[in-house]
Amino acid sequence: MASREADPSHMSFYRRLIVFSKNYASSTWCLNELVEIHMCFKELNQMVIPIFYDVDPSDVRKQTGEFGEGFEKTCKGKSDDHKERWIRALTEVANLAGEDSRNWSDEANMIEKIAKDVLNKLMTSSNDFGDFVGITAHLEKLNSVLSLESEEVRMVGIVRASGIGKSTIGRALYSQLSGRFHHHAFVSYT
């Protein structure tokens, strides 16, 4: 196992990307880290995303092909218990939804998709305003006119009489959408 101890109370927010290559299983360090990551996935419900770089996911799952040959060499002299932990981690993590580089003609596009997917999973919208009566209708109305599919700059202004909740609606909208944008700011004039 890895030499460092992790405090589980601080680990539930971790997201792990594991890049499997043909030579991945040739490293005891990589396999030991995988066992630790697999444990965190099972016990702490951490997100794990496998990426198969120029290797068949089935070869990782079943320890076959060139990947399996490297795995067998790494297993020489190791205890059966050690080998079983590696096999269990490889099999279960390789069964998770991920990306296979062989399905992409352009690595840059694959990396961009992975980055967007991870960002979307990290940036969950806040529901801090969910209990406010009537706020959902206001947010739906604003969302319908924003054309969020466009990548253009957005600025939202809410103008009405004072004291009717403009800042609250604005903060709720900002909280809901700000994670989608690289740069964002909330300004309120009272």
Side-chain angles (χ1 to χ4, degrees):
M1 297 297 281
S3 60
R4 65 187 179 285
E5 289 295 318
D7 178 4
S9 67
H10 292 76
M11 296 184 67
S12 61
F13 61 89
Y14 279 64
R15 307 310 188 252
R16 310 283 181 124
L17 296 177
I18 302 171
V19 181
F20 291 109
S21 66
K22 291 177 183 173
N23 296 322
Y24 183 92
S26 300
S27 166
T28 56
W29 185 87
C30 286
L31 292 170
N32 288 334
E33 282 294 303
L34 180 66
V35 168
E36 185 176 309
I37 291 167
H38 179 250
M39 182 267 313
C40 291
F41 167 74
K42 298 293 267 188
E43 295 177 10
L44 302 174
N45 202 29
Q46 289 183 359
M47 181 190 309
V48 175
I49 302 171
I51 300 166
F52 303 94
Y53 186 79
D54 202 28
V55 65
D56 189 326
S58 179
D59 286 346
V60 176
R61 197 170 22 257
K62 299 174 185 174
Q63 298 84 53
T64 56
E66 197 174 327
F67 185 91
E69 292 169 12
F71 181 72
E72 284 305 316
K73 289 178 186 173
T74 305
C75 288
K76 287 199 186 336
K78 302 293 189 262
S79 69
D80 287 342
D81 181 57
H82 219 89
K83 185 177 175 180
E84 284 302 315
R85 282 185 284 160
W86 288 345
I87 290 171
R88 184 172 34 257
L90 285 166
T91 302
E92 291 186 21
V93 171
N95 273 324
L96 299 174
E99 291 294 337
D100 184 345
S101 70
R102 297 168 313 139
N103 295 335
W104 291 82
S105 60
D106 183 355
E107 281 183 24
N109 288 337
M110 180 185 77
I111 291 167
E112 185 175 342
K113 181 193 181 290
I114 292 167
K116 283 181 181 177
D117 287 349
V118 170
L119 183 64
N120 287 336
K121 289 174 182 168
L122 288 174
M123 298 297 185
T124 56
S125 62
S126 169
N127 195 22
D128 293 341
F129 298 89
D131 294 337
F132 284 39
V133 176
I135 196 124
T136 304
H138 291 295
L139 295 177
E140 287 173 357
K141 177 102 170 140
L142 286 168
N143 276 313
S144 72
V145 298
L146 285 177
S147 300
L148 291 171
E149 63 280 350
S150 171
E151 295 194 14
E152 297 296 318
V153 173
R154 294 280 175 263
M155 184 184 318
V156 176
I158 305 171
V159 181
R160 282 290 178 111
S162 63
I164 64 168
K166 297 180 303 297
S167 293
T168 302
I169 294 167
R171 279 191 188 95
L173 183 67
Y174 177 80
S175 176
Q176 184 182 70
L177 300 177
S178 62
R180 295 185 185 185
F181 302 95
H182 294 290
H183 304 287
H184 44 85
F186 179 82
V187 179
S188 176
Y189 296 105
T190 53

